C-alpha cells in the first residue's frame, strides 16, 4: 500500500496539512500510523476517507458530514445510513416547502393589493397566539420585527403587540423563507415587495435561487454517495476479513479504529 504524507492529502484538495490533521483528530478520517520519529503516515484508505468526507460537506454540511464519518469509523454502519436517510428526508421536505412557498406567494401577492387597509382588520392575534400558530417563540417574532419583517400595531394603553391578518401573512411568509435558509435582511426585502405589490421580480429571484440551491445539493448528495461507496470498497480491499477485537488488543501499534464495511464491521489497525 502506498504511503502518503499529510501534504499529499492536503494538496489534492487545496487544503492545509493542519486541516488534514484536524480531520484525523475529529475522527473524520482513520488515525494514521506513525514513523519512529513521530511523523504521520497515511495510505490510500485515508485518501479515500478524506474524499468521502469532503464530498459530504456540500451535501449535508460540516456537522452532519462529520457525524456520518465518525459513525462509520466506530463500526456503526446503520447509524451512518440513518443519518444519510435523514438528510434525504430533509431535502424532500425542503422541496415540499419550496412548493408551499410558491403556492403561498401566489395567494399572498394576490391578496396584498395596495388598496388593502390593514387598519380595518378586527381579528387580531397576540404575540403568544401568533408564535403558537407558527410554532416559533415570541422572541423570534420580536427579532423579525427588529429586522423590519413584521410591523404589528400596539395597544396604546398596554403597549401589547397586535398582529392583524396582513401581519400574520407576512409572518407565515417569513417563516417559510427562514425554513429555506434565507437571512432576515433578504426576507425583509421580499416581504416589503409583497406588501407594496409593486412587482414580484425580487420574490421570483429568491425562489429561483432556492430551487438552484436544492438542485445543487441533490447533485452533491449523488456525488457524496459515490465517494462513500468507493471508500467502503477500499476498506473491503484493504481488510478482506474482519479482525477481532481480541487480536487487535495484541497488535503492536496499540492504535485501533473500528471501521464499518458493507455488511460487517472491521477493526482498522494503524
Amino acid at each position: 500500500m502506498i504511503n502518503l504524507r499529510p501534504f499529499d492529502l492536503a494538496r489534492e484538495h487545496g487544503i492545509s496539512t493542519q486541516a488534514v490533521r484536524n480531520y484525523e483528530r475529529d475522527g473524520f478520517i482513520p488515525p494514521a500510523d506513525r514513523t519512529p520519529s513521530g511523523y504521520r503516515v497515511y495510505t490510500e484508505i485515508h485518501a479515500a476517507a478524506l474524499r468521502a468526507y469532503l464530498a459530504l460537506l456540500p451535501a449535508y454540511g460540516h456537522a452532519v458530514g462529520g457525524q456520518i464519518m465518525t459513525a462509520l469509523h466506530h463500526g456503526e454502519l446503520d447509524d451512518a445510513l440513518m443519518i444519510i436517510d435523514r438528510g434525504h428526508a430533509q431535502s424532500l421536505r425542503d422541496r415540499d416547502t419550496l412548493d408551499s412557498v410558491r403556492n403561498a406567494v401566489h395567494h399572498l401577492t394576490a391578496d396584498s393589493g395596495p388598496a388593502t387597509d390593514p387598519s380595518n382588520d378586527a381579528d387580531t392575534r397576540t404575540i403568544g397566539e401568533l408564535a403558537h400558530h407558527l410554532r416559533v417563540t415570541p422572541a423570534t417574532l420580536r427579532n423579525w420585527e427588529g429586522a423590519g419583517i413584521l410591523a404589528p400595531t400596539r395597544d396604546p394603553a398596554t403597549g401589547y403587540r397586535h398582529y392583524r391578518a396582513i401581519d400574520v401573512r407576512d409572518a407565515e411568509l417569513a417563516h417559510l423563507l427562514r425554513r429555506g435558509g434565507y437571512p432576515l435582511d433578504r426576507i425583509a426585502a421580499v416581504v416589503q415587495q409583497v406588501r407594496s405589490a409593486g412587482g414580484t421580480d425580487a420574490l421570483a429571484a429568491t425562489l429561483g435561487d432556492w430551487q438552484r440551491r436544492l438542485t445543487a445539493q441533490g447533485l452533491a448528495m449523488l456525488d457524496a454517495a459515490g465517494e462513500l461507496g468507493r471508500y467502503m470498497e477500499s476498506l473491503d480491499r484493504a481488510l478482506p476479513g474482519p479482525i477481532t477485537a481480541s487480536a487487535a488488543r495484541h497488535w503492536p501499534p496499540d492504535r485501533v479504529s473500528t471501521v464499518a464495511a458493507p455488511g460487517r464491521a472491521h477493526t482498522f489497525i494503524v
Side-chain angles (χ1 to χ4, degrees), residues 148-179:
I149 295 170
L150 300 179
T153 60
R154 295 272 191 160
D155 186 297
T158 64
Y160 292 157
R161 294 170 173 85
H162 290 293
Y163 296 88
R164 303 148 298 176
I166 195 170
D167 301 314
V168 174
R169 179 210 64 194
D170 292 346
E172 288 175 341
L173 181 56
H175 188 44
L176 289 168
L177 292 175
R178 280 298 279 171
R179 182 66 188 80

Side-chain angles (χ1 to χ4, degrees), residues 12-252:
E12 178 182 349
H13 304 285
I15 60 179
S16 68
T17 55
Q18 184 59 51
V20 174
R21 290 190 287 268
N22 290 344
Y23 295 154
E24 178 190 346
R25 177 201 64 200
D26 294 335
F28 304 157
I29 64 176
D33 197 2
R34 298 278 187 149
T35 66
S37 57
Y39 290 106
R40 287 175 171 83
V41 177
Y42 293 114
T43 66
E44 295 169 348
I45 286 182
H46 296 91
L50 182 58
R51 293 186 197 105
Y53 171 66
L54 293 178
L56 289 169
L57 300 186
Y60 303 96
H62 288 78
V64 175
Q67 291 170 10
I68 292 169
M69 296 303 291
T70 53
L72 287 176
H73 294 151
H74 284 88
E76 299 165 350
L77 178 58
D78 285 332
D79 287 349
L81 293 175
M82 185 177 296
I83 296 169
I84 292 171
D85 288 344
R86 288 196 190 107
H88 285 275
Q90 183 64 65
S91 179
L92 179 59
R93 285 194 295 271
D94 287 343
R95 291 182 181 278
D96 289 340
T97 299
L98 176 58
D99 287 340
S100 297
V101 171
R102 283 196 174 113
N103 292 332
V105 166
H106 174 74
H107 294 294
L108 292 174
T109 53
D111 295 338
S112 60
T116 300
D117 183 1
S119 64
N120 290 334
D121 275 327
D123 184 18
T124 62
R125 302 191 190 201
T126 66
I127 189 169
E129 290 169 340
L130 182 55
H132 179 74
H133 171 68
L134 295 176
R135 296 183 181 180
V136 300
T137 65
T140 295
L141 296 180
R142 287 191 289 267
N143 192 30
W144 292 356
E145 183 180 343
I149 295 170
L150 300 179
T153 60
R154 295 272 191 160
D155 186 297
T158 64
Y160 292 157
R161 294 170 173 85
H162 290 293
Y163 296 88
R164 303 148 298 176
I166 195 170
D167 301 314
V168 174
R169 179 210 64 194
D170 292 346
E172 288 175 341
L173 181 56
H175 188 44
L176 289 168
L177 292 175
R178 280 298 279 171
R179 182 66 188 80
Y182 284 86
L184 295 182
D185 58 342
R186 290 190 64 185
I187 295 174
V190 170
V191 169
Q192 182 58 45
Q193 189 81 4
V194 173
R195 280 185 196 146
S196 63
T200 58
D201 289 346
L203 193 56
T206 296
L207 297 181
D209 180 55
W210 189 355
Q211 179 70 71
R212 286 188 289 273
R213 287 170 53 207
L214 287 176
T215 299
Q217 183 187 33
L219 293 174
M221 286 178 169
L222 291 178
D223 183 55
E227 291 294 349
L228 276 174
R230 284 185 282 274
Y231 176 41
M232 306 303 283
E233 289 173 0
S234 72
L235 291 175
D236 268 343
R237 289 194 299 269
L239 303 171
I243 302 174
T244 66
S246 174
R249 282 196 294 270
H250 298 287
W251 196 273

